[in-house]
Amino acid sequence: MTSYDIVIVGGGPAGLAAAVAARDAGVESILIIERDKELGGILNQCIHNGFGLHTFKEELTGPEYAYRFEEQVLQRKIEYKLDTMVMDISHDKVVTAMNRTDGMFQIRAGAVILAMGCRERPRGALNIPGYRPAGIYSAGTAQRLVNIEGYMPGKEVVILGSGDIGLIMARRMTLEGAKVKVVAELMPFSGGLKRNIVQCLDDYGIPLKLSHTVVDIEGKERVKAVTIAEVGPDMKPIAGTEVRYTCDTLLLSTGLIPENELSRGCGVEMNPVTSGPFVNERLETSIPGVFACGNVLHVHDLVDFVSEEAARAGANAARYVQEGEGAGEAGEEVRLVATDGARYTVPSTIHVNRMDDLLTVRFRVGAVFKDSYVSVYLDDERVQHMKKRIMAPGEMEQVILQKKQLAARPGLKTVTIKIEAQ
Amino acid sequence: MYDVIIIGAGVTGAAAARELSRYKLSVCVLEKEEDVCCGTSKANSAIVHAGFDAETGTLKARFNVRGSEMMEELARDLDIPYKRNGAMVVCIDESGKDGLRELYERGVANGVKDLRILDRQECLAMEPNLSENVVAALYAPTSAIICPFMLNIALAENANVNGVDFFFNTKVEALTPFTCEKCGEPVWKIRTNNGEYRARYVINAAGVYADVLHNMVSEKKIRITPRRGDYCLLDKTAGGHVSHTIFAQPTKMGKGVLVTPTVHGNLLVGPTAVDVEDREGCNTTAEGIDTLIARAGDQVRDLPMRQVITSFAGLRAHEEGGEFIIGEAEDAPHFIDCAGIESPGLSSCPAIGEYIGAMMKEKLGLEEKEDWVGTRKGILDPSALSLEERNELIKKNPAYGRIICRCESVTEGEIIDAIRRPLGARSLDGVKRRTRAGMGRCQAGFCSPRTMEIINRELGLPYEEITKHGRASRLVIGRTKGVEE
């Protein structure tokens, strides 16, 4: 069986940044396994701009952003395999993969970095009633058809869900000559970035109907019409509010789900809130030497944060390989708790004596908060209290923890992040 | 002129076709859809019922019990998945116990083997996730689960290999009897959207349209009402929630909402029962899905309904009399009905086929072919191979090394086989039903563009003509701006 010090599952933005960081930390033997025909992951179909404002201080398209990292991978001569599907990761880090030329093969990995990304929630998972004709696509599938294959899924479009890909596709379809009639969003707030609502809907006069959902799909062969209705506070449609839109296409942008089949098979403990693995301050899962980063860990809003997080995972995996599992006395474990509006934190545990001087903790809120405070408590004492003009579920939030502050409290049990009105 | 024309390529038509393919006889199947298994056969509970439910002495009881006996061997011959997982009819109220006893006795009278009444403790020992309220259950160990698509496809494929012609997108518009000048026998002229066919015998296996065809030729009218059933299919992670098929106690509208593992490892919850007018009206409804969510918990607790990956609806071909109508129409010689084939139709289809075969053999004095092949090799499932075997396969055919559907781990090799084999797939749903590509938790989000690419290459179909399920179900409408062909 061949072995590599680090096997990275996924050659998208997370996998590429992790690989670069691991190599820069001194690990020679690295393999990236990518299932598509090229590196870059989903960025390859995201041909709009707006990527890289944090990382490169300029606005790049998805493929351009991906290429910045691909270049670094190529310059460092990091090995990768394309068109290769990882079939299984065992508890003891044997990776089984398959492709056309090598067949099915196994690799013993010193460390594994999970960077598989996420997938879209399909219509079936939403229990939308109606027929099941052609013309119902998840926004990402439509994006692939338009931007990669060069085919138009339809010409009159209704979009359910205001996730970023749905918003981007509203504009993209419009530019390609389609008529986007409405974007319906079940929640009373959008799941996407504010800037996308402005640039992709408002600029093109596409209405966004919050607290609305699809209650019927007509058409036995191809979509003929979609009926949307307003929902009440119980999320149930309100009778009498139905509006029928004739259309030939329904796009769905109703949420992303981290793609963790391999992680589950491997046996890592999963966080039911994020649908990603629980990780510690090193972005290490419950299995030592198995790390996670990017959208497989929790769905991000900006790729810049994916790259930053993945670089940390890469550096930590390198340290794991170089120092061995026992290195760096783990010491006491502090639990991170998200409550009162904060939905989760990444990481979810911290070993104080192993953490960096500053540790970024990312989280999302569960509703829209205006003029509220993000507070951090070390056990019962509030140590941070930051006013935020607005926080929304579509955008990731962060706090930065200082090692010296945590280390100054021996016996510390929990760090709590909550949203407070005052 | 064909000796026999079968109308309808669902499980009944396909089973009859396969039985008739044993004989020296010219047979064809006319199907209005683009593929086999497009009506009632594609959306049902996927269960081979033991046979205790139907009234003793009915055709339903007779063909169900016989079909259930035949199915295991048939599945082996046709290389399709089948699992005898057993069924439990769960009684959650002391007052239901009499009904359970009745069902037991009916089952015994129908000839169902090994039936047993279980007490509460036995029930919970066998199925820990049964409702707290369970008081007893009827246990039928001979009940089984099967893949209805693969059964239908395999029956048709096998019939085709043995000489039966299939004509798709061919809808029967009129049936006219006349007398053959040569033989003096009654024969049928069949007008379709694709020209005229002639046959000495017509077998009506038209599902929810069987009454329409029957009533074209007979004064003894029958009436089929499409009875819609909504289903929810749950992710494979929920597939182990129960291991047996769990029924509620039956009512006059049907067997109630059941919970069952599928032969592929998902969990299926359904169906509802609503009579509808539209014979193509297989739309799910909010009420239907709500009913399922509300009722599913009656027999089974903690059902993870959040793990639904898709919902769908099927139409049962319910005839007013509530009985299968099988046999030659009284006032229409050489017109043979297989009508009103609702549940337990899937379970009964091998026996119905056998009966039709025997009937035609007697009527026509048929001789068996010497070269009839009753077995068929299914699409290879690489996941059943060892690492070495799999590598050997990929070396021979690299397409088996490329995963197209990642949820169900379907390779390009399987999809190519599904397209190239007899009566091969021509649409996305055709590929899906043959290989399971697109049936997993992402519901074809990932694989549909890739499957389209393979269909385009294999069949030479332009993208604009690739459909989800035939006719106008086109997937894309044309090129984006500025793409040069």
Side-chain angles (χ1 to χ4, degrees):
Chain A
M1 197 184 302
T2 42
S3 17
Y4 282 86
D5 284 345
I6 300 179
V7 172
I8 300 171
V9 185
L16 295 174
V20 170
R23 172 61 57 84
D24 290 352
V27 176
E28 277 306 307
S29 157
I30 301 171
L31 177 68
I32 304 171
I33 303 180
E34 166 56 41
R35 66 184 169 210
D36 219 322
K37 288 176 187 149
E38 49 200 332
L39 294 173
I42 206 70
L43 287 174
N44 289 326
Q45 69 182 52
C46 301
I47 63 170
H48 53 282
N49 63 355
F51 299 92
L53 276 168
H54 295 252
T55 314
F56 300 110
K57 310 294 173 222
E58 56 183 313
E59 276 202 72
L60 305 174
T61 65
E64 285 169 343
Y65 185 94
Y67 189 65
R68 297 271 170 113
F69 283 90
E70 283 165 48
E71 256 184 327
Q72 296 180 48
V73 165
L74 296 175
Q75 281 162 2
R76 287 166 178 75
K77 300 193 167 54
I78 298 171
E79 281 182 63
Y80 58 87
K81 278 185 184 293
L82 301 177
D83 233 334
T84 304
M85 188 73 83
V86 173
M87 308 296 286
D88 182 64
I89 304 167
S90 73
H91 195 80
D92 57 352
K93 300 191 279 285
V94 173
V95 176
T96 306
M98 186 171 81
N99 66 28
R100 290 171 57 98
T101 45
D102 304 314
M104 205 163 191
F105 56 95
Q106 294 189 312
I107 297 167
R108 184 168 295 287
V112 171
I113 301 177
L114 305 171
M116 293 87 78
C118 58
R119 63 160 180 270
E120 299 174 282
R121 181 171 286 127
R123 179 233 176 141
L126 305 169
N127 286 334
I128 302 172
Y131 284 92
R132 303 197 301 152
I136 304 171
Y137 290 103
S138 63
T141 305
Q143 190 178 45
R144 183 181 172 98
L145 282 171
V146 174
N147 292 348
I148 305 278
E149 319 280 344
Y151 288 98
M152 280 297 279
K155 55 182 186 299
E156 292 192 304
V157 185
V158 168
I159 299 179
L160 174 63
S162 59
D164 287 312
I165 314 171
L167 301 175
I168 294 288
M169 282 311 288
R171 175 175 65 186
R172 186 79 187 96
M173 295 291 283
T174 305
L175 293 175
E176 284 293 339
K179 171 78 187 158
V180 178
K181 296 193 163 177
V182 66
V183 177
E185 167 60 56
L186 177 70
M187 304 303 284
F189 48 81
S190 165
L193 295 169
K194 180 74 187 157
R195 73 170 196 221
N196 282 336
I197 294 173
V198 173
Q199 295 171 9
C200 301
L201 300 187
D202 298 352
D203 287 359
Y204 296 89
I206 300 167
L208 170 63
K209 295 202 166 187
L210 299 175
S211 298
H212 278 72
T213 194
V214 172
V215 296
D216 195 22
I217 300 170
E218 293 170 55
K220 289 168 186 170
E221 293 167 3
R222 178 83 200 193
V223 174
K224 282 194 169 133
V226 164
T227 302
I228 71 171
E230 193 177 340
V231 297
D234 61 350
M235 300 290 160
K236 296 274 181 204
I238 301 168
T241 63
E242 297 86 358
V243 180
R244 181 175 178 274
Y245 293 87
T246 55
C247 59
D248 61 6
T249 304
L250 173 65
L251 297 188
L252 302 172
S253 181
T254 54
L256 298 169
I257 305 165
E259 187 128 43
N260 273 297
E261 281 67 25
L262 290 169
S263 325
R264 284 195 193 89
C266 175
V268 308
E269 279 172 38
M270 303 293 295
N271 182 342
V273 179
T274 55
S275 300
F278 281 115
V279 291
N280 63 25
E281 77 290 345
R282 294 184 163 182
L283 301 174
E284 187 180 32
T285 67
S286 61
I287 299 179
V290 177
F291 299 80
C293 55
N295 284 347
V296 84
L297 177 57
H298 59 133
V299 174
H300 291 61
D301 52 353
L302 297 180
V303 70
D304 305 76
F305 299 140
V306 168
S307 303
E308 186 264 344
E309 180 181 276
R312 281 201 281 146
N316 287 324
R319 196 186 318 175
Y320 175 87
V321 168
Q322 289 156 344
E323 297 176 2
E325 191 179 325
E329 251 328 271
E332 285 292 299
E333 193 177 82
V334 176
R335 218 157 52 86
L336 271 77
V337 176
T339 178
D340 296 68
R343 292 184 57 229
Y344 69 86
T345 63
V346 168
S348 54
T349 53
I350 298 174
H351 301 97
V352 176
N353 62 341
R354 288 199 325 198
M355 73 187 274
D356 294 334
D357 291 340
L358 296 175
L359 177 73
T360 304
V361 176
R362 296 226 153 88
F363 66 97
R364 284 195 193 236
V365 292
V368 175
F369 291 93
K370 286 183 180 158
D371 298 320
S372 302
Y373 293 83
V374 174
S375 300
V376 179
Y377 286 76
L378 301 185
D379 286 335
D380 292 333
E381 190 193 340
R382 189 163 79 190
V383 296
Q384 289 190 39
H385 191 54
M386 291 159 298
K387 182 155 187 181
K388 298 278 284 183
R389 203 179 57 75
I390 187 147
M391 287 182 283
E395 319 214 355
M396 272 187 353
E397 302 294 335
Q398 66 174 52
V399 296
I400 293 172
L401 300 181
Q402 296 178 25
K403 179 175 184 169
K404 62 172 191 238
Q405 205 169 30
L406 271 63
R409 284 161 209 271
L412 176 67
K413 289 270 177 287
T414 57
V415 175
T416 304
I417 295 176
K418 58 171 88 167
I419 312 304
E420 294 178 316
Q422 309 208 324
Chain B
M1 169 113 63
Y2 282 94
D3 292 318
V4 181
I5 284 183
I6 299 167
I7 303 172
V11 279
T12 308
R18 177 174 180 269
E19 281 299 324
L20 293 176
S21 74
R22 291 174 188 271
Y23 304 107
K24 293 178 178 167
L25 189 72
S26 64
V27 182
C28 84
V29 179
L30 306 181
E31 168 56 51
K32 73 178 170 59
E33 301 297 330
E34 55 115 26
D35 197 356
V36 304
C37 199
C38 284
T40 297
S41 303
K42 83 169 175 193
N44 50 67
S45 305
I47 288 164
V48 183
H49 294 285
F52 51 78
D53 190 62
E55 290 297 334
T56 307
T58 59
L59 293 179
K60 276 185 176 175
R62 169 181 157 192
F63 286 118
N64 184 165
V65 173
R66 174 69 186 140
S68 161
E69 280 169 10
M70 294 170 72
M71 199 67 91
E72 189 164 15
E73 193 185 332
L74 181 66
R76 202 165 41 234
D77 285 350
L78 297 178
D79 193 19
I80 59 167
Y82 166 94
K83 187 178 174 193
R84 193 158 276 205
N85 67 322
M88 293 163 81
V89 181
V90 175
C91 171
I92 51 169
D93 194 323
E94 285 295 332
S95 67
K97 276 186 163 174
D98 290 347
L100 210 60
R101 170 62 50 186
E102 254 175 61
L103 209 55
Y104 168 82
E105 275 156 16
R106 195 193 299 167
V108 171
N110 288 353
V112 180
K113 293 191 186 112
D114 306 327
L115 288 175
R116 209 144 56 82
I117 301 249
L118 307 177
D119 64 24
R120 176 183 158 83
Q121 261 185 335
E122 289 175 297
C123 291
L124 289 168
M126 280 169 67
E127 279 299 353
N129 283 329
L130 284 185
S131 155
E132 275 301 304
N133 301 328
V134 57
V135 293
L138 172 63
Y139 174 49
T142 57
S143 181
I145 46 183
I146 197 163
C147 173
F149 315 132
M150 291 188 185
L151 173 63
N152 198 158
I153 288 162
L155 285 166
E157 238 181 73
N158 190 228
N160 180 245
V161 167
N162 284 300
V164 175
D165 295 332
F166 281 75
F167 298 100
F168 295 106
N169 297 309
T170 302
K171 184 176 183 179
V172 173
E173 293 165 349
L175 285 156
T176 322
F178 69 102
T179 307
C180 172
E181 283 170 21
K182 270 189 257 168
C183 60
E185 292 269 318
V187 286
W188 291 98
K189 231 191 298 196
I190 304 167
R191 196 182 79 213
T192 77
N193 59 322
N194 270 339
E196 191 183 273
Y197 294 80
R198 291 173 184 222
R200 296 167 70 193
Y201 280 84
V202 167
I203 294 171
N204 171 20
V208 290
Y209 290 91
D211 59 338
V212 177
L213 292 178
H214 172 97
N215 295 341
M216 283 178 189
V217 303
S218 170
E219 283 312 308
K220 315 251 179 222
K221 302 298 180 194
I222 62 173
R223 181 157 182 266
I224 286 174
T225 307
R227 182 168 285 175
R228 199 190 62 226
D230 291 16
Y231 289 89
C232 290
L233 185 73
L234 276 64
D235 193 280
K236 285 183 175 176
T237 51
H241 197 73
V242 293
S243 58
H244 301 82
T245 298
I246 309 297
F247 292 103
Q249 288 190 268
T251 67
K252 69 176 193 314
M253 279 300 272
K255 297 183 188 71
V257 173
L258 61 87
V259 178
T260 185
T262 72
V263 79
H264 299 292
N266 296 86
L267 195 73
L268 184 65
V269 179
T272 55
V274 179
D275 289 346
V276 297
E277 281 179 15
D278 186 349
R279 291 170 202 264
E280 310 274 321
C282 49
N283 52 320
T284 55
T285 59
E287 305 81 65
I289 293 169
D290 288 347
T291 304
L292 287 184
I293 291 170
R295 294 274 311 282
D298 291 353
Q299 276 69 239
V300 179
R301 64 185 169 85
D302 303 333
L303 265 182
M305 293 304 281
R306 284 190 59 196
Q307 294 195 50
V308 171
I309 60 170
T310 191
S311 41
F312 60 89
L315 296 174
R316 314 168 181 86
H318 175 69
E319 209 283 324
E320 275 180 329
E323 170 65 315
F324 292 164
I325 299 173
I326 297 175
E328 195 160 2
E330 267 179 63
D331 56 347
H334 293 199
F335 183 89
I336 294 159
D337 279 312
C338 297
I341 311 296
E342 60 181 336
S343 180
L346 182 69
S347 321
S348 303
C349 74
I352 297 174
E354 180 185 58
Y355 177 80
I356 295 289
M359 178 200 280
M360 297 311 297
K361 183 181 181 189
E362 197 188 303
K363 282 185 187 292
L364 295 168
L366 299 175
E367 256 181 80
E368 291 195 18
K369 291 174 188 161
E370 294 83 25
D371 57 351
W372 187 74
V373 180
T375 56
R376 162 257 189 202
K377 201 79 206 113
I379 293 171
L380 186 90
D381 175 11
S383 68
L385 303 179
S386 71
L387 193 74
E388 292 73 28
E389 291 168 327
R390 207 158 173 172
N391 273 321
E392 205 52 45
L393 174 71
I394 297 168
K395 212 172 282 168
K396 266 191 272 173
N397 184 351
Y400 284 100
R402 184 176 175 227
I403 295 281
I404 299 296
C405 165
R406 61 191 187 201
C407 300
E408 296 289 316
S409 289
V410 182
T411 64
E412 183 169 14
E414 291 156 78
I415 294 176
I416 292 173
D417 185 7
I419 294 170
R420 289 188 187 170
R421 60 174 42 226
L423 306 183
R426 299 186 62 78
S427 65
L428 228 48
D429 282 359
V431 168
K432 178 172 86 172
R433 285 197 283 271
R434 283 167 178 79
T435 65
R436 299 189 54 73
M439 266 194 213
R441 51 179 69 102
C442 94
Q443 289 286 298
F446 177 78
C447 66
S448 44
R450 289 157 181 88
T451 305
M452 287 167 74
E453 188 186 305
I454 300 170
I455 292 176
N456 164 263
R457 192 182 67 213
E458 286 293 316
L459 295 175
L461 268 183
Y463 268 67
E464 293 86 341
E465 286 172 32
I466 300 174
T467 65
K468 181 170 180 287
H469 49 249
R471 289 198 283 234
S473 64
R474 290 184 195 91
L475 291 159
V476 297
I477 58 162
R479 279 298 196 178
T480 48
K481 287 177 182 171
V483 176
E484 304 280 337
E485 289 294 343

